[in-house]
Amino acid sequence: MSTAVTQQVDEVKSTPWSGGRSPFNVEYGKMMMWFFLLSDAFTFSSLLIAYGALRFSAPTWPSPSLVFQSIPGTSVEHGAPLVFVGLMTFILIMSSVTMVLAVEAGHRNSKKEVIWWMIGTIIGGLMFLGCQALEWNHLHSEGFWWSAIPNKETLEEFFAKGIPLAQQQMSSHQFANLFFTITGFHGFHVFSGVVINIIITINVLLGTYERRGSYLMVEKVGLYWHFVDLVWVFVFTFFYLV
């Protein structure tokens, strides 16, 4: 009797009206990662909304093509706007590509390929952090920093003539505080991702996931890394392009 009932239930499940796969049929750790990324997205969104509100309510604002026109560590002071941050963006995007390849290799249980692609991702993250440190140091030398007000000569380079000095100082002060806070918060996420990637790579070298028969942890950290890259696209747009 029980066998017949089971057979009838199986037949019902196989009909077109039985529904598809449950969307919650996901590994617990991966679902928790998605919840974390969602909450983190709210944090970044609130910061960028605050920046946008101040940016578009201010009568004047530092021009990105002027603030970011020079390349840190070189004598190029004019004619190359956004070149350096473009390089930073390219490095971070390429690190996302290597992470995709690491996840794909994990699905094939190719330990050696996972190791090399993870190392490439780590190198990309470290290069991005190094570039960000150079950019911060360069902007600091230009007079932009937390709670610092650039001198009159610096302000004249980044604002149109005729804008009152007090308004220039207020706008540059707000710009610097938000820029270093938001890019610093993102940089902290990149640094955390690099540390996590190093830990995951060590576990891959030790054969931890090979013994488990699954490289799911690589996929989880990959979600985090792609999120960090996606956030940078919005940071890049808000600060460097708008």
Side-chain angles (χ1 to χ4, degrees):
M1 181 67 178
S2 59
T3 304
V5 172
T6 303
Q7 185 177 359
Q8 291 178 354
V9 170
D10 292 338
E11 290 176 356
V12 171
K13 287 183 177 180
S14 63
T15 63
W17 300 99
S18 60
R21 179 182 176 184
S22 170
F24 300 104
N25 188 20
V26 181
E27 194 269 337
Y28 176 79
K30 186 185 292 187
M31 181 176 289
M32 292 302 103
M33 176 60 77
W34 278 111
F35 284 151
F36 167 74
L37 297 180
L38 181 62
S39 64
D40 218 18
F42 290 148
T43 304
F44 275 105
S45 297
S46 62
L47 290 171
L48 291 174
I49 289 172
Y51 172 81
L54 289 173
R55 164 69 179 85
F56 293 106
S57 63
T60 185
W61 200 258
S63 174
S65 61
L66 297 177
V67 175
F68 305 107
Q69 69 180 344
S70 56
I71 301 174
T74 71
S75 59
V76 178
E77 294 296 331
H78 298 283
L82 307 181
V83 170
F84 189 72
V85 71
L87 175 63
M88 292 172 58
T89 304
F90 175 77
I91 290 172
L92 199 60
I93 291 175
M94 290 306 299
S95 72
S96 190
V97 172
T98 56
M99 177 58 79
V100 169
L101 295 172
V103 173
E104 190 276 332
H107 289 162
R108 293 185 285 106
N109 293 319
S110 179
K111 177 181 175 180
K112 186 176 181 180
E113 290 186 45
V114 172
I115 293 172
W116 283 113
W117 290 126
M118 288 296 293
I119 291 175
T121 304
I122 294 169
I123 293 174
L126 291 174
M127 290 177 64
F128 177 84
L129 291 173
C131 290
Q132 189 172 58
L134 289 173
E135 182 186 46
W136 276 31
N137 180 68
H138 177 69
L139 290 175
H140 178 263
S141 67
E142 292 285 342
F144 290 99
W145 198 242
W146 275 296
S147 303
I149 298 178
N151 56 43
K152 185 177 180 180
E153 291 74 18
T154 301
L155 291 173
E156 289 176 351
E157 297 180 11
F158 304 123
F159 291 92
K161 294 182 179 180
I163 303 298
L165 180 61
Q167 184 59 56
Q168 294 179 10
Q169 292 176 335
M170 176 61 71
S171 296
S172 63
H173 176 74
Q174 292 174 339
F175 167 80
N177 284 347
L178 286 166
F179 175 81
F180 289 112
T181 297
I182 295 176
T183 59
F185 190 50
H186 176 267
F188 173 75
H189 279 70
V190 176
F191 175 77
S192 301
V194 169
V195 172
I196 296 171
N197 284 338
I198 291 174
I199 295 173
I200 296 298
T201 304
I202 292 173
N203 283 329
V204 175
L205 287 168
L206 295 175
T208 302
Y209 309 124
E210 191 175 33
R211 289 190 297 271
R212 292 181 185 176
S214 172
Y215 284 83
L216 185 60
M217 282 300 300
V218 177
E219 186 173 351
K220 293 177 187 176
V221 75
L223 291 174
Y224 176 81
W225 194 256
H226 296 320
F227 170 79
V228 170
D229 290 358
L230 179 62
V231 168
W232 177 252
V233 172
F234 288 96
V235 173
F236 176 82
T237 302
F238 272 66
F239 279 102
Y240 298 91
L241 298 182
V242 178

